[in-house]
Amino acid sequence: MDFGDARGSVIIGGDSQRALSEQEEKKVLEVVKAFMNALGKFQQYPAMNEIVVGALNDCHKHLSAWLRTHARFEAVVVQGHLQLNKAILSLGSQKQDFLQAFLFYLTERNVRTLEIKPGMEIRELQNFFEFFAKPAKEIVAKKNMARALKRMGVRHLSISSQLVIEDVIIKTKISGDLQKKLSGLNIQELVEKANIISRLDLGALQKVGDLATVVTNLSYTKNENATRQILDRLANTLHDANPAARLHSARTFTQIAEKAVDYTLYGLHGDVGSMMAAQAASETDANVYSTLASGLEKAAQVHIAKGDYGEAMKIIESFAERRETAPAADTGIRRRADGAISSIASPASIRQLISALEEAPPGSETAPVKTLSRMGEKAVADLVDLIYTSGSAQAVERATQVLKEIGAAALPEIYGELAESLDEEYRTAFIRVVGEVGNVKSVLKLTPFLSDPSMNVRAEAFRAVLKIGGPAAENKFVEEMQQHDMKADFFKDRLHDIANAASPGLAAPLLELLNGKGPFAKFANPEVEMLAARALSKIGGGDVVAGLSDALEKKKGLKSLFGGGKEREKIDAAICTALGRIGDKAAEPALARAAKSKHEAVRTAAQRALDALKSGAKLESKLEEAPAPAKTPEPEEPAPAAAPDVAQAPTMMESAFGEPDTGMLDDLAAQATAYAAGGGDALRVRLVLTVGPAVVDNVNVAVPGAYDEGRPTTDQKGVEFDLPPGKYDAVVKDQAFSVTRPFEVTDAGQVIRIDLQDIFNF
């Protein structure tokens, strides 16, 4: 069974072991007694009542009192005894009935460590007791007990079935024994010996006994010149033609690196690591490479423990490069490089990196993101745990990003989580990862979520299927859209996703939509038609050009449904723009005829598309540089008097090209036309309204020119918009206020927090 990584550290011997003070031990006993009392009440009563609530509050009170003065409450079962925060309880306390019951209860459920951190809320504690009060057999049967708690929202309490005894990598002071030895050093004799060694030839140098101790002693006594001379000579032997000589030097360097940690000489440690890395990058002998890798593994772990993630990443990248580029015959080197990355990814290193990922200020998370992504499958479980336990949307986004970069190796763990009953926020986060790194098999895993009760989850699942792409995914998209009662607004949003994914298998049904036919015909409306044209411009290809040209000339589709006029004008202009964006000269005949349309918006869009085709550039590459359009020639046929809504004034379609907006087209059409005619892809971003640390729901947010009607913030997640990169204003409206805040769209998945503290008085 996998119960997750242990969080406890066992003290075995040494002067670090201590006893609790009398006052501390008294508080520990109060906590354990209250813990067992609450557990008993949860087992005794099937539902919450005053007795259970009272026991729960009492336990929370004693835990909170302990955690106010201690960093954690860490109980570890060691050989039938309880160790608390790396300290041993007295024999008298160990014999207390309730403490023996506590030990028995933990052991029966195969729990060896239980850790509680500050911030534990009563609701979390209640969730834990509801889980832990179940029969032992039911709890032990859980595949991952620690993960089960995290799914329940228990963030500050962790349990494990294992003990992990980890060496302390980073030392802040020299041990007593080593200090005693160093105090007896004869520095003059040491320097004289170093002068002799530095003049030896390479062969004689390798015969010097315990050279690693000589080097570290020199560095410790501040004889930097002598240290550097010997290191440089050793570095030369790493390039010796004789593999045996290189192997000897590699071992010496590895020994120096280890001793440097014991001596707390981290500058020396870094220098030696750089020398080993330089040789490892080109080493061809498997034995020498393996020895260098052993030293570099530990060097990377030290860098991680010290927070030098950039230096650790250099070592990991060097291993990754050898793993991927070593000649086919060098299987030993490739395997060793792969094993080295796995060794660096120790539980302690991963936990250190996870903490850095969660806590790094914005803009400084790149190093932990890259380092964790290189650790691959071994980091996945901790990243999933972070998604469950972090209260920070930023940290969840970062964890999701790392999982995407890890790729297919993350899928089995994520599939397992999606099979569980999860809250909406977790389902959407994991589905997003599957969409980024999934394959054809992933489409089957996502199928249940295409009809999920939550529209947010459903939308994320459709988006993921489109990102995976391929015939199976595209067929599933069409099938599910037909089977379920989807609204036009939902399909409209999926058109943005189709455009971003450029799904070739959906070109045919989208072209049918423009003619009022096919599986998507039930969603037909003017805005949908224009967005369909934009999506088709992203797909491109000869069939799309022919289909768009046909739709433009025959004027089928919405004309028959809505009677032409202004709506037809907008759709035809969007089709002309789409043809210009594709950039295929086969569209010239249809565009030339459209340039003579009686509708100015259509003429303008067609002429711009023609100009782009003639210059050999796609339309979007000319938008920013295009001059104001020349006066359009009079149409061949006069505009009928019965259609005053199609005046010769500039329309919103023209506004998209920089002309003034006369307000002739309604806001809904303005949004669709901006997407159809605008340069650049729309990026999905999330706007989150906050008042200090609190997230604000049920407030309308509009983006003038794109989402004029706005959307409400919901579910503590804000509101999502699809917007091309650029600067915008967010208009935040409520019954009591209206305020405008600027923001900028730069990346897909961006979370933009807008603080309203200045207009609230909490």
Side-chain angles (χ1 to χ4, degrees):
M1 288 180 297
D2 175 17
F3 284 80
D5 290 328
R7 313 299 289 189
S9 301
V10 181
I11 304 242
I12 297 181
D15 54 12
S16 297
Q17 193 173 27
R18 69 180 183 88
L20 294 170
S21 70
E22 184 177 345
Q23 186 64 25
E24 285 178 317
E25 192 154 322
K26 181 181 177 181
K27 288 185 177 181
V28 169
L29 295 178
E30 289 173 348
V31 170
V32 174
K33 188 173 183 178
F35 183 97
M36 292 307 297
N37 181 52
L39 195 56
K41 295 298 185 287
F42 272 87
Q43 289 180 319
Q44 183 178 357
Y45 297 97
M48 295 294 290
N49 57 35
E50 290 184 8
I51 297 174
V52 178
V53 170
L56 177 65
N57 287 335
D58 185 57
C59 181
H60 186 265
K61 179 186 73 174
H62 287 295
L63 271 172
S64 298
W66 174 270
L67 293 171
R68 277 195 291 271
T69 55
H70 296 79
R72 67 193 183 284
F73 181 90
E74 180 190 74
V76 180
V77 181
V78 184
Q79 297 176 348
H81 297 283
L82 184 67
Q83 178 180 286
L84 200 288
N85 285 18
K86 301 183 181 180
I88 302 299
L89 293 176
S90 69
L91 187 60
S93 295
Q94 296 277 0
K95 291 181 177 180
Q96 293 281 349
D97 289 344
F98 57 83
L99 195 139
Q100 286 295 310
F102 179 66
L103 284 170
F104 175 79
Y105 206 93
L106 294 180
T107 304
E108 187 184 33
R109 283 152 180 76
N110 202 24
V111 174
R112 302 288 299 280
T113 64
L114 182 150
E115 182 182 11
I116 304 173
K117 296 179 180 179
M120 165 73 76
E121 298 177 354
I122 285 189
R123 181 61 188 174
E124 283 184 77
L125 194 58
Q126 177 183 336
N127 289 344
F128 168 74
F129 280 128
E130 288 174 350
F131 170 79
F132 212 53
K134 295 177 181 178
K137 187 175 181 179
E138 186 177 340
I139 292 176
V140 172
K142 290 288 183 183
K143 182 180 178 182
N144 188 324
M145 186 162 53
R147 180 68 56 73
L149 286 175
K150 290 178 173 65
R151 293 191 195 107
M152 296 167 62
V154 179
R155 302 169 185 264
H156 299 88
L157 188 152
S158 57
I159 52 181
S160 172
S161 67
Q162 301 175 20
L163 295 176
V164 177
I165 303 173
E166 297 182 87
D167 293 329
V168 178
I169 297 175
I170 292 301
K171 299 181 180 180
T172 57
K173 63 179 182 178
I174 297 173
S175 70
D177 289 343
L178 181 56
Q179 184 68 57
K180 186 176 180 180
K181 291 180 181 178
L182 291 173
S183 65
L185 272 179
N186 186 323
I187 297 178
Q188 182 177 352
E189 182 181 320
L190 177 66
V191 172
E192 290 175 355
K193 186 176 182 179
N195 289 333
I196 295 172
I197 292 173
S198 64
R199 293 194 295 270
L200 295 175
D201 60 36
L202 298 183
L205 181 65
Q206 293 188 339
K207 296 178 183 179
V208 176
D210 203 4
L211 189 54
T213 299
V214 174
V215 172
T216 46
N217 284 346
L218 283 168
S219 182
Y220 177 77
T221 56
K222 310 295 185 186
N223 286 285
E224 300 301 337
N225 289 336
T227 304
R228 175 55 57 185
Q229 287 177 354
I230 296 176
L231 285 177
D232 289 343
R233 298 300 303 279
L234 274 172
N236 289 335
T237 64
L238 280 176
H239 304 287
D240 194 282
N242 182 357
R246 299 202 302 275
L247 180 60
H248 187 281
S249 292
R251 288 171 177 164
T252 303
F253 268 118
T254 300
Q255 292 165 2
I256 294 172
E258 292 176 355
K259 286 181 176 293
V261 174
D262 292 334
Y263 283 60
T264 68
L265 299 172
Y266 294 111
L268 174 64
H269 178 273
D271 291 342
V272 171
S274 298
M275 291 176 176
M276 289 192 292
Q279 177 59 21
S282 58
E283 181 56 59
T284 57
D285 184 89
N287 289 330
V288 178
Y289 185 82
S290 180
T291 301
L292 291 168
S294 296
L296 289 170
E297 288 169 356
K298 295 174 183 176
Q301 289 176 336
V302 170
H303 286 313
I304 291 171
K306 291 176 76 268
D308 297 333
Y309 304 119
E311 293 302 313
M313 195 60 203
K314 290 177 184 177
I315 295 174
I316 294 171
E317 289 287 8
S318 70
F319 283 132
E321 184 175 356
R322 291 309 302 273
R323 179 182 62 185
E324 294 158 10
T325 63
D330 293 340
T331 55
I333 289 179
R334 291 206 307 274
R335 283 198 302 267
R336 187 64 185 87
D338 188 61
I341 295 175
S342 181
S343 295
I344 293 170
S346 67
S349 294
I350 290 174
R351 287 199 294 271
Q352 176 82 12
L353 287 164
I354 290 290
S355 295
L357 183 73
E358 185 174 16
E359 297 167 7
S364 62
E365 73 277 8
T366 302
V369 165
K370 288 185 176 180
T371 309
L372 281 165
S373 66
R374 275 301 189 184
M375 290 181 172
E377 183 181 359
K378 294 187 75 171
V380 171
D382 288 86
L383 289 163
V384 170
D385 285 348
L386 179 60
I387 289 174
Y388 283 129
T389 59
S390 177
S392 163
Q394 176 179 264
V396 172
E397 288 292 334
R398 291 173 178 177
T400 304
Q401 178 187 347
V402 178
L403 288 169
K404 291 176 184 177
E405 293 190 18
I406 289 173
L411 288 175
E413 183 94 12
I414 293 173
Y415 290 157
E417 294 310 301
L418 286 173
E420 301 288 339
S421 177
L422 303 177
D423 289 345
E424 176 184 311
E425 62 178 305
Y426 301 137
R427 298 202 299 281
T428 54
F430 293 135
I431 289 170
R432 193 175 303 127
V433 176
V434 175
E436 294 288 343
V437 303
N439 49 44
V440 66
K441 294 181 181 179
S442 305
V443 176
L444 294 176
K445 299 287 186 181
L446 292 172
T447 297
F449 302 101
L450 297 173
S451 55
D452 194 275
S454 164
M455 294 306 291
N456 289 333
V457 173
R458 191 181 297 190
E460 198 65 59
F462 272 102
R463 190 176 302 118
V465 165
L466 289 171
K467 285 184 177 180
I468 291 170
E474 292 160 348
N475 290 339
K476 178 58 68 175
F477 180 93
V478 175
E479 176 188 325
E480 295 292 326
M481 275 291 174
Q482 288 179 297
Q483 284 185 357
H484 302 291
D485 184 24
M486 305 293 186
K487 304 299 183 184
D489 281 347
F490 184 84
F491 180 69
K492 177 189 70 178
D493 288 340
R494 303 293 70 75
L495 285 170
H496 298 317
D497 299 332
I498 294 172
N500 290 332
S503 307
L506 297 178
L510 289 179
L511 288 168
E512 288 182 310
L513 170 63
L514 292 178
N515 290 292
K517 301 176 182 178
F520 301 149
K522 63 181 180 179
F523 303 116
N525 66 44
E527 185 180 6
V528 165
E529 288 265 6
M530 288 184 283
L531 289 171
R534 174 183 178 270
L536 285 164
S537 77
K538 297 296 183 181
I539 297 171
D543 290 342
V544 170
V545 170
L548 287 172
S549 299
D550 181 68
L552 182 64
E553 295 202 71
K554 293 184 179 179
K555 297 189 176 182
K556 294 181 180 178
L558 287 180
K559 181 175 182 181
S560 62
L561 297 174
F562 296 95
K566 180 173 65 174
E567 305 297 352
R568 186 68 244 173
E569 174 188 3
K570 292 181 286 186
I571 296 167
D572 285 353
I575 293 174
C576 291
T577 300
L579 287 169
R581 295 184 73 173
I582 295 172
D584 190 328
K585 290 185 178 293
E588 284 186 358
L591 288 170
R593 286 185 281 274
K596 300 177 182 179
S597 168
K598 62 188 177 185
H599 301 305
E600 185 164 356
V602 178
R603 295 199 305 272
T604 301
Q607 190 59 52
R608 286 187 177 277
L610 283 169
D611 292 343
L613 291 178
K614 290 175 182 177
S615 69
K618 293 183 180 181
L619 185 56
E620 64 257 43
S621 65
K622 291 178 65 64
L623 283 177
E624 294 181 359
E625 301 173 0
K631 183 174 177 61
T632 309
E634 291 297 317
E636 292 181 345
E637 51 181 302
D645 61 329
V646 196
Q648 297 301 313
T651 67
M652 178 61 80
M653 176 61 71
E654 293 173 86
S655 300
F657 294 109
E659 294 294 320
D661 175 13
T662 64
M664 186 176 183
L665 301 182
D666 58 279
D667 289 339
L668 191 62
Q671 174 191 338
T673 306
Y675 278 119
D681 292 336
L683 305 176
R684 179 146 298 187
V685 298
R686 184 189 302 274
L687 269 62
V688 179
L689 305 182
T690 61
V691 177
V695 177
V696 181
D697 277 345
N698 302 317
V699 175
N700 193 69
V701 181
V703 181
Y707 292 86
D708 293 281
E709 294 298 319
R711 294 176 176 178
T713 57
T714 59
D715 299 329
Q716 295 289 289
K717 298 175 186 175
V719 58
E720 288 187 339
F721 295 112
D722 293 310
L723 297 166
K727 295 182 178 180
Y728 299 88
D729 285 327
V731 179
V732 184
K733 291 183 179 180
D734 192 48
Q735 293 180 350
F737 67 88
S738 176
V739 63
T740 300
R741 293 282 192 271
F743 68 95
E744 184 173 3
V745 174
T746 57
D747 301 297
Q750 187 178 357
V751 178
I752 301 166
R753 302 181 77 85
I754 299 176
D755 191 69
L756 306 176
Q757 183 73 58
D758 56 333
I759 61 173
F760 281 88
N761 184 19
F762 278 11

